[in-house]
Amino acid sequence: MEGFLQAFNRLSLHTDAARQDLQIRLRSRSFEKGDCLLKSGAICRNLYFVDNGLVKTGFATGDKTFIMRFFPENNLFTVLDSFTTQAPSFYEIVALEPTTVTYIEQADLEVLCRKHHCIETAFRKLLAFATVNMMKRISEMLEENATERYNHFLKDQGMLLQRISLGDLANYLGITQVSLSRIRSKK
């Protein structure tokens, strides 16, 4: 729980009262590799922090799978559109390793945002950072070729290379495993 509190506090310094109110609403849960934290079609009711492990967010259409992001330890994450609107999610969240998360429910976070300006500020900044990251991701997918996307992955998330499957990496890059093998062989 301490990691969640520190991450939120880095976004906006919390008062002692806000920290206490936040802390009592945090929960912890563990998942096995392959477990779904959120299934497509369900409503995302939690904002998560990865204490240990690794998760992915993505969706499937027909026979294609697309991975939006990987979230290793010390990251806050959610399925933003479903979490903020409380509408069913098109995306899913899956544990790629045994994973422990700390989380807060959306209804509890709403109460805290109304009660504590510093928590509202932290959440607003989290939304802003998530928006910027998603815009960057969309831009990469639309404007860069597969080799450039692979190089960006290595630069930004290369430490995950040994923790994710080549299939997941190919799906993240939006290419086939054969294309990924060609790109990797040129390195």
Side-chain angles (χ1 to χ4, degrees), residues 32-153:
E32 296 300 318
K33 179 179 179 176
D35 285 352
C36 278
L37 286 74
L38 176 70
K39 292 182 180 184
S40 179
I43 296 172
C44 185
R45 300 192 190 284
N46 301 317
L47 172 64
Y48 299 96
F49 177 84
V50 182
D51 295 306
N52 58 62
L54 176 66
V55 301
K56 67 179 177 181
T57 59
F59 62 93
T61 56
D63 62 343
K64 289 193 165 215
T65 299
F66 187 75
I67 296 174
M68 297 297 294
R69 296 283 309 261
F70 298 103
F71 295 97
E73 295 85 0
N74 302 314
N75 275 280
L76 288 162
F77 73 96
T78 190
V79 174
L80 200 53
D81 58 341
S82 179
F83 183 79
T84 55
T85 64
Q86 290 296 278
S89 176
F90 183 63
Y91 301 96
E92 66 179 8
I93 304 171
V94 178
L96 295 176
E97 304 173 345
T99 300
T100 302
V101 296
T102 298
Y103 65 94
I104 187 168
E105 293 181 4
Q106 189 268 355
D108 286 338
L109 184 58
E110 283 293 322
V111 168
L112 293 179
C113 284
R114 285 192 297 274
K115 185 175 179 182
H116 300 285
H117 177 70
C118 56
I119 292 178
E120 180 183 34
T121 299
F123 185 56
R124 178 184 50 79
K125 287 182 177 180
L126 179 65
L127 291 175
F129 288 132
T131 302
V132 168
N133 286 335
M134 189 54 60
M135 290 174 69
K136 180 181 179 230
R137 176 86 170 105
I138 291 168
S139 185
E140 285 175 1
M141 293 304 293
L142 294 175
E143 298 173 7
E144 296 178 356
N145 65 43
T147 301
E148 291 169 328
R149 291 193 302 269
Y150 178 72
N151 289 334
H152 271 125
F153 175 82

Side-chain angles (χ1 to χ4, degrees), residues 54 70-73 153 157-165:
L54 176 66
F70 298 103
F71 295 97
E73 295 85 0
F153 175 82
Q157 300 180 74
M159 68 288 207
L160 298 180
L161 205 52
Q162 300 302 315
R163 297 173 68 184
I164 61 174
S165 71

